[in-house]
Amino acid sequence: MSNGYADYLTYPLVNGLSFSAGWVTPFSGRTNIAFYAIFILCGALLTYVICDHRMYKQYGKHGTLESTFLIAFPAGIIGARIAYVIGDWSKFASRIAAGQWWSIFAIWEGGLTILGGAIVGAAVGILWFCLRKRKYSIWVAVDIVIPAILVAQAVGRWGNFFNLEVHGNPSPIGCWSWIPKVIQNNMAFSEAGKRVLTDGTIFVPLFFIESITNMLGYFVLAWFFGRLLRNYTEFGDLGFGYLIWYGYTRTFMEPLRDPNYNMGDNGYWSWFWSIIFVAMGAVAIVANHVIRFIIRKKKEGYVAQSKWFTSGIVGTVIILLASLALIIPGAILMANNEFVQKLNFGPYNTGIILLASGLSLFIFMIISMFFTVEGYKGKYLNAKEV
């Protein structure tokens, strides 16, 4: 729809409104009302509407998340800023030494880390919900709200498009002929160094890729696992699944970024925490299943079923082989290649990704082993009774 008027627009596109200069671009001045902020707010409001509707379907009442949203959203913004300051501390340390201590709070200059915002916002929201909404299940709320954060992130990423930031390295425009022409034209510009590409290349539109990936992740978690596979998941799994999905998304996206937007001295800050997100999600899901299994067994007299033995053995073998298929190549790549302080898909970093993925998958074997042991008990007891 946009291709018809794409060539009649002026690029780079405006990214906000200045009270003194009118509409401005990242090349022409600073905004007072930024599209980036508008997209973040719209993403948050859309997420709230989705979650409120799903809570209504669950409990028959609107507004159960209103106060939680009003507390968690600002907390998430603060957490995102804190994580950014910590991740780029060397830059802020030099500005503080120059007397610009206020730069830590200068959010209008840019600098938010979604990884930090998600953790702080979710933690504050969960705590508030537990204290103020005790008659509602926190686990139901977690499975509804946490995956929906992906929707807010998908919308918010379009703010990076208008700000000409957080994109990838130059790539031939022919590789991106399938995306709208407005995006193609605007991605020839970069806010970093006010660069303009005129040689038939554009900056890789990472914002667009991540936006699509985040939306896909929401439907995978909320609908595929949340509905079609609900009988095989525990409450809380969808919320923990967010950590795995977004962790993997950032794990593969970070090495593609323009180095100007990498965090930390060597660009490893966000990448490192993305891998930790995956591990945290895997451990949390396994702990969730094991703890709930033990509680049910004690409270409800969980009866071991002999069929668990066969399915547990099969599941254990499959997970073991899949995890070893990642762990072994990862370990070999890391052992045979030197560590280079550069964030890319070099052999060493690829080895880290494979090893971390394999170890995270290996953790899931605990669930299948649990059922294998219980299945063996059921099989033994049934044989003994006969």
Side-chain angles (χ1 to χ4, degrees), residues 162-177:
F162 287 99
N163 276 2
L164 308 177
E165 61 187 4
V166 196
H167 45 54
N169 290 308
S171 173
I173 194 170
C175 297
W176 303 96
S177 59

Side-chain angles (χ1 to χ4, degrees), residues 4 38 42 71 76 89 111 158 243 265 310 317 326 328 340-341 350 368:
I38 293 174
C42 288
I71 294 295
W89 179 248
W158 283 82
L243 297 175
D265 294 335
T310 303
V317 171
L326 296 171
I328 294 174
V340 179
Q341 291 185 337
T350 302
S368 61

